[in-house]
Amino acid sequence: MRKLWMLALALPLGGCYTVNQAGLGNFITQTVQPGMPLEQALVRMRAEGFYCNTSMAGTVTICTRNQERLLRGSCVERVDLVRSATSTQTLGKIDVMETRCAKL
């Protein structure tokens, strides 16, 4: 009976998302790097579950990904892909923004 109780407590906690800003930054720098073609960076970000606004206006492409949290609402991870100053088809810089979570 005790094992069943412990399992019942562990299941809801196993699916919880916790904000790990440093971990997100490390993950992103392993996924995309400055100097790579912007189109390739977008393909990689989408493969990781990000939605990227691909409007050609401006120099920044905003990519976001929702992370659901049980009983506490959702969080939005945001990464800004900045085009190179010398080539609009090349990734120049990556800005990993602060993760924002809904307050319930």
Side-chain angles (χ1 to χ4, degrees):
M1 183 66 159
R2 180 179 171 161
K3 286 183 183 180
L4 183 60
W5 176 250
M6 294 302 282
L7 181 61
L9 287 176
L11 283 177
L13 297 177
C16 291
Y17 169 79
T18 57
V19 176
N20 179 351
Q21 199 66 37
L24 175 62
N26 289 335
F27 172 75
I28 294 300
T29 57
Q30 291 174 5
T31 304
V32 292
Q33 297 85 30
M36 73 187 319
L38 185 58
E39 194 58 41
Q40 182 183 10
L42 292 172
V43 167
R44 288 186 180 181
M45 293 296 285
R46 289 182 184 128
E48 297 300 336
F50 282 85
Y51 167 79
C52 297
N53 179 358
T54 56
S55 162
M56 291 307 290
T59 60
V60 178
T61 300
I62 298 171
C63 297
T64 58
R65 176 171 71 177
N66 289 329
Q67 296 288 355
E68 295 299 322
R69 298 185 308 167
L70 295 175
L71 305 176
R72 296 182 293 166
S74 64
C75 295
V76 177
E77 298 172 333
R78 177 178 163 179
V79 178
D80 290 354
L81 304 178
V82 183
R83 291 179 180 87
S84 170
T86 58
S87 171
T88 59
Q89 301 302 316
T90 303
L91 182 58
K93 181 177 146 188
I94 304 157
D95 290 327
V96 179
M97 311 305 281
E98 182 179 345
T99 301
R100 301 282 182 182
C101 298
K103 305 262 194 267
L104 293 180

